Amino acid sequence: MEATPTIRYEQRGATAWITLDRPDAMNALSGPMCTELLEAIGRIERDPGIRVIVLTGAGRAFCAGADLKGVFEDAGGSPGPIDPMTDFLDQVGAMMERLRMCPKPTIAALNGLTLAGGLELAMACDLIIAADSARIGDAHANFGVFPGAGGAAILPRRIGATAAKYLLFTGDTLPAKELVPLGLVNRVVPDADLGSEVEKLAARIASKSPLVIRRMKQTVADGLEQPQASALRLERVVLDAHRHSHDIREGLAAFVGKRTPDFKGY
């Protein structure tokens, strides 16, 4: 087990910044890193002072995927169905599911290479902002590895089956800007501006009602799995509950009074 922390945590205003901090290993996902990420997400969920989460990487990569070398060694050098490998994949899956289900909005700030498990980690976030130099790919096929955290299941839902199969089958890495038209990446910004641009975006989101953002996030997730008519009915049900909240009353009062609203999250 790694003796030093594998992530760095910092709170900037209402935004929590989590930095993957294994730059020598290109921030590859390890067991300890998954444990630390789970703990950080749980702490953030319980902290009402944090309204947005940003996930980024140290060095020249966001995340180059799973630490295959470490897992392979733990499995005794065998590629078979060995328990350490299964346990690790369960850890990764649980961490990413917790990130996907986090009620607070999440932003992946891709500072560099984003491959395989790194791409799956980015897709577990709500928004993806990338540096101009960032390159993105699946890469599992390059090593005869099958995706285990969304590469084959979630990527086609994000960019369509044809584009997803190209990334899956070839193992190619593409410039982040080529994935903006496909909807995988929201924006590409100059490398030097990544931190400041993401910070501004996070602050804008944090200024909104945390209650309405949480309900929007949940309704989008639930509605995607339903026919449009059912999703519209769900939206109305959520609205009927939301119209009794403090935040909608405060927002409307602020609109009428031409002032900045003071949202409380309830």
Side-chain angles (χ1 to χ4, degrees), residues 157-242:
R157 296 169 185 258
R158 295 288 292 265
I159 65 174
T162 302
K165 284 187 281 190
Y166 179 87
L167 286 176
L168 288 165
F169 296 172
T170 65
D172 286 353
T173 61
L174 301 177
K177 63 184 178 183
E178 291 189 17
L179 294 167
V180 172
L182 295 177
L184 180 68
V185 176
N186 295 96
R187 286 177 58 203
V188 174
V189 300
D191 287 32
D193 297 339
L194 179 64
S196 61
E197 289 297 317
V198 171
E199 194 158 358
K200 286 189 287 187
L201 174 61
R204 285 172 55 203
I205 295 172
S207 72
K208 315 301 183 187
S209 159
L211 177 64
V212 79
I213 294 293
R214 182 172 73 247
R215 284 175 164 167
M216 285 177 173
K217 178 172 178 173
Q218 187 64 60
T219 303
V220 168
D222 292 345
L224 282 173
E225 302 302 319
Q226 301 182 29
Q228 180 174 291
S230 299
L232 286 167
R233 286 193 293 270
L234 171 63
E235 184 180 70
R236 181 56 189 267
V237 168
V238 176
L239 172 59
D240 287 345
H242 186 72

Side-chain angles (χ1 to χ4, degrees), residues 3 16 20 31 34 50 56 79 113 140 148 171 199 205 235 237 240-241 266:
L20 308 182
C34 289
I50 296 175
T56 192
L113 198 62
H140 282 99
E199 194 158 358
I205 295 172
E235 184 180 70
V237 168
D240 287 345
Y266 56 82

Side-chain angles (χ1 to χ4, degrees), residues 53 99-100 102-108 121-128 158 184 186 213 217:
I53 303 171
L99 184 60
R100 274 191 292 271
C102 179
K104 301 183 180 185
T106 54
I107 304 171
L121 181 62
M123 290 194 297
C125 295
D126 298 310
L127 304 175
I128 299 177
R158 295 288 292 265
L184 180 68
N186 295 96
I213 294 293
K217 178 172 178 173

Side-chain angles (χ1 to χ4, degrees), residues 48-148:
I50 296 175
R51 296 187 175 185
V52 181
I53 303 171
V54 173
L55 195 62
T56 192
R60 62 192 183 93
F62 170 71
C63 175
D67 186 356
L68 295 177
K69 182 175 183 292
V71 174
F72 190 70
E73 289 173 350
D74 288 343
S78 168
I82 306 299
D83 284 345
M85 188 174 291
T86 301
D87 291 345
F88 172 69
L89 291 174
D90 288 344
Q91 267 190 295
V92 172
M95 179 271 290
M96 291 194 190
E97 182 63 16
R98 184 69 178 268
L99 184 60
R100 274 191 292 271
M101 297 302 293
C102 179
K104 301 183 180 185
T106 54
I107 304 171
L110 307 188
N111 55 296
L113 198 62
T114 303
L115 300 176
L119 172 56
E120 292 169 327
L121 181 62
M123 290 194 297
C125 295
D126 298 310
L127 304 175
I128 299 177
I129 309 298
D132 188 60
S133 65
R135 295 186 66 87
I136 301 170
D138 180 73
H140 282 99
N142 295 341
F143 305 99
V145 176
F146 188 82

Side-chain angles (χ1 to χ4, degrees), residues 209 239 242-253 263 266:
S209 159
L239 172 59
H242 186 72
R243 66 189 179 89
H244 300 291
S245 67
H246 163 275
D247 280 4
I248 193 171
R249 293 193 298 272
E250 168 61 16
L252 294 174
F263 294 123
Y266 56 82

